[in-house]
Amino acid sequence: MFIINSIWEYFINFMEQVLFIIFIHTKLHKKANFKNQSFLMLLFLTIQFIVLCFMNQEEISSYITLLLSCILDIIYVLTFYRDNIIFRLFWGIAYSIICLIAEQLTFFIPTTLYDSVSTKLLLGGELRKPYTMLYLAMIAVLILILHYVANKDITLSPFQKITYILIAFSGLAIGHYILRLTLEFIDNYGKSSFSTRLSLVNLFFVVLFLALLVYIYQLGYSKRENLRLIEEQKVYELEREEFNSLVETTKQLREIKHDIQIYLDTINILVNDKKWDELISYTEQYYNTLSIAHITVSTGNTAIDCILTSKLDCAKRLGIKTTYSIMVPDSFPLDSVELSSLLGNIWNNAIEAGEKLLSFDIGKQPYIYFYIKPYQHMILIHIENNFDGEIKRNKNHEIISTKSEKNHGLGLPRIKSIIENSGGVLQITSENNIFSVHIMLPDKENKIE
């Protein structure tokens, strides 16, 4: 009989592990490029299973067993999954909370509804097996319910993370303590109205505890959304600056066009009147005005012309060497706003990298090499510049900026978003202090070979 009971306890621990794996796999994403990941995960779970079986067999305090199980779950999700750390903590702790709720519901049913149920029958007697199966069924139902709860990224400050962990562990310990207290009272004094009320209090506490954790989760989601909206606002402001620059450049181009018409009319009059000396003097004055005029790009695409005219002039004034080649098809796969944002962002990054090199005076001549050209059914956009070697990356080690300031890192994600929406491909490299952005956009209309 002892062997059968031991096997049954091992089976319960095993099923809890299986349900934990199912639950975590539906909520989190495994790390990529983790060597021998499956083997290490299996090894960790096996060790956890052996530890918990040993603690149960040695009848170590259930409080210690519960907290240790929760800690091992947290270590597991932090080690093998790649989601936001607070997201991993939340779902790692959530499974222990599910077990607590299932345990509370399992004991609440017989101790509340039936008059003569001994806790000895529940904990180690004849009712142990059916009620542990009910306990596992409760866990499975709760996991199924949470499976349909949409995953939302959450963000909490370090203090809020610590507070959440303390609240979670305190709630687990208190809920389990009230449950054990209820069972001890029933075992010593029998079922009474007090034990029923105590069981209801425990159930009410567990519900409030769960509601508190859901509220914290919602606060983390709201904070995440606020940060996302702030980032979108910053991107909008950057794009508005590019638009204002485009409008200003367009105005300047119109003024240049107007002036050229006047100059040509004046030259035509001087030629017709054969006033050669005045013509020579006038053309010399006109040449001097051209020497201080903007570099003017004219491809027929307003967004490209305005952005490049503005950025090339800015690079020239800063002393950044520029080389460019532009071949634009009749129609572009991006609208003017997206194209302005795309070109403005990559040129701003390159110019700021050049400014940084100049400010440090490290003896390197900053340069920018840029081209747009059609290739088969694609349009290629490429920009390359040298920089100081500092790179800002996100948690997935993807490059998000060459600038270390806190408010940077919005340009490249915006570029990536525009390219993905158009069905294009983005490649970013940074080797030997050379930063390059290579973009391929599908050109479905022109079918250029």
Side-chain angles (χ1 to χ4, degrees), residues 58-72:
E58 296 298 321
E59 297 183 353
I60 296 174
S61 171
S62 59
Y63 307 111
I64 298 176
T65 304
L66 176 65
L67 293 179
L68 179 61
S69 177
C70 184
I71 292 172
L72 290 174

Side-chain angles (χ1 to χ4, degrees), residues 293-311:
H294 291 291
I295 300 171
T296 304
V297 177
S298 179
T299 65
N301 186 298
T302 304
I304 294 176
D305 294 347
C306 293
I307 290 295
L308 292 187
T309 296
S310 173
K311 300 306 178 184

Side-chain angles (χ1 to χ4, degrees), residues 361-380:
D361 192 22
I362 58 178
K364 289 186 178 180
Q365 169 64 41
Y367 75 89
I368 299 174
Y369 171 56
F370 175 80
Y371 69 75
I372 301 177
K373 66 179 181 181
Y375 178 74
Q376 295 185 357
H377 300 305
M378 306 292 288
I379 295 176
L380 308 183

Side-chain angles (χ1 to χ4, degrees), residues 75-250:
I75 295 174
Y76 177 81
V77 297
L78 292 179
T79 304
F80 298 108
Y81 294 86
R82 58 181 171 84
D83 303 78
N84 186 322
I85 185 169
I86 186 60
F87 199 58
R88 285 179 282 169
L89 284 172
F90 183 89
W91 292 116
I93 296 173
Y95 184 73
S96 296
I97 298 170
I98 289 174
C99 292
L100 175 65
I101 296 172
E103 187 178 26
Q104 167 60 32
L105 292 174
T106 301
F107 282 104
F108 176 79
I109 293 173
T111 56
T112 305
L113 300 181
Y114 301 103
D115 293 330
S116 59
V117 176
S118 171
T119 56
K120 293 180 180 180
L121 292 176
L122 296 176
L123 297 177
E126 298 176 357
L127 297 179
R128 172 64 175 167
K129 292 181 179 61
Y131 275 97
T132 49
M133 291 301 296
L134 178 61
Y135 165 71
L136 293 175
M138 292 284 187
I139 295 177
V141 169
L142 292 172
I143 289 175
L144 182 63
I145 293 172
L146 290 177
H147 174 71
Y148 292 100
V149 175
N151 286 348
K152 298 178 180 179
D153 287 337
I154 57 178
T155 301
L156 297 176
S157 66
F159 175 77
Q160 290 171 329
K161 291 176 183 177
I162 295 173
T163 303
Y164 166 74
I165 293 173
L166 292 176
I167 291 174
F169 277 105
S170 300
L172 285 171
I174 294 172
H176 188 71
Y177 174 77
I178 298 175
L179 176 61
R180 302 302 300 182
L181 187 65
T182 304
L183 295 175
E184 288 176 8
F185 183 87
I186 294 173
D187 197 41
N188 293 328
Y189 303 102
K191 185 176 180 298
S192 65
S193 60
F194 177 78
S195 63
T196 301
R197 291 195 298 268
L198 189 59
S199 183
L200 289 172
V201 167
N202 191 19
L203 183 62
F204 184 65
F205 169 81
V206 171
V207 172
L208 286 181
F209 174 54
L210 182 62
L212 176 61
L213 295 184
V214 171
Y215 177 70
I216 295 175
Y217 181 82
Q218 187 62 36
L219 286 179
Y221 171 69
S222 299
K223 184 176 181 179
R224 180 76 174 184
E225 283 296 293
N226 290 336
L227 292 175
R228 183 183 63 81
L229 292 174
I230 291 172
E231 288 187 357
E232 288 184 356
Q233 178 66 22
K234 290 179 180 177
V235 171
Y236 167 76
E237 291 175 357
L238 291 173
E239 293 185 351
R240 185 175 61 180
E241 290 178 5
E242 293 298 335
F243 178 77
N244 292 336
S245 175
L246 188 150
V247 172
E248 182 63 27
T249 305
T250 303

